[in-house]
Amino acid sequence: MSDIDDDSEIFFPVKFLGRVQVVRPGGMQILRDAVGALQDPNIEMAEKMKKTKVHLFLTRTAIDILEHKTKFMLYSCALPSVSFCAVHPSQPNTLGFIAKHPAADMHHCYIFQSKKFSHLLVSLIGDSFRSYKQNEGLQGDRDLVVEALRHKNKVLERENAELKRRLQANGEDTGGVQNLYENESDIDKTSSRSGQVRFFSEDDETPLQTNF
């Protein structure tokens, strides 16, 4: 495992066995079948990689697979497209995740081998997925709070303007009238508090699976 310049990205050197189109977006049996297809020498498959060494990059938004020497991008899977991730039940060095194709109604299982990182990778992919979903929810909550504050400001501005108008109509001094609406900095403070994300980890042997 290695850190790179951006601390929100890490990569792992692993062996990429290839990817297989699957009929469902998740399930341990789907992973077993996909691994079996890649390891069967009698099955011809265009995307068998013959244990190609790759860098598996995990970021806050995607899983990227880069060729080891050239750093050529082989595949990139956005985190929201990932629906399942697990270690093979009888091959502890083999892991895979399933992701939806970005432009078609199909799913692929991406399969890797790693003696050191198989369980850790499954755990980290799960953490990254949950963190993305949590951040997505926080962003939605933040937008609602900001919109509510802006609406409140507009209402108070109108009330303040009406109060000044009445005072002027009565010939009273408006110099001491303070603005009743809250400062825009309240929005910034709320945004700052809402933008914080915490990461949570679970048992690294627990498969990640989303409901469809």
Side-chain angles (χ1 to χ4, degrees), residues 3-41:
D3 292 328
I4 59 176
D5 293 340
D6 184 350
D7 62 3
S8 67
E9 298 181 347
I10 54 176
F11 72 85
F12 296 81
V14 297
K15 292 178 180 179
F16 183 38
L17 302 185
R19 73 171 190 171
V20 179
Q21 185 175 343
V22 294
V23 295
R24 292 199 307 274
M28 194 63 76
Q29 187 58 48
I30 295 295
L31 175 61
R32 289 194 188 96
D33 293 344
V35 171
L38 285 178
Q39 294 177 343
D40 189 342

Side-chain angles (χ1 to χ4, degrees), residues 48 52 119 165 170 178:
K48 284 186 179 181
T52 300
H119 287 89
R165 187 189 65 77
N170 293 330
Q178 295 182 345

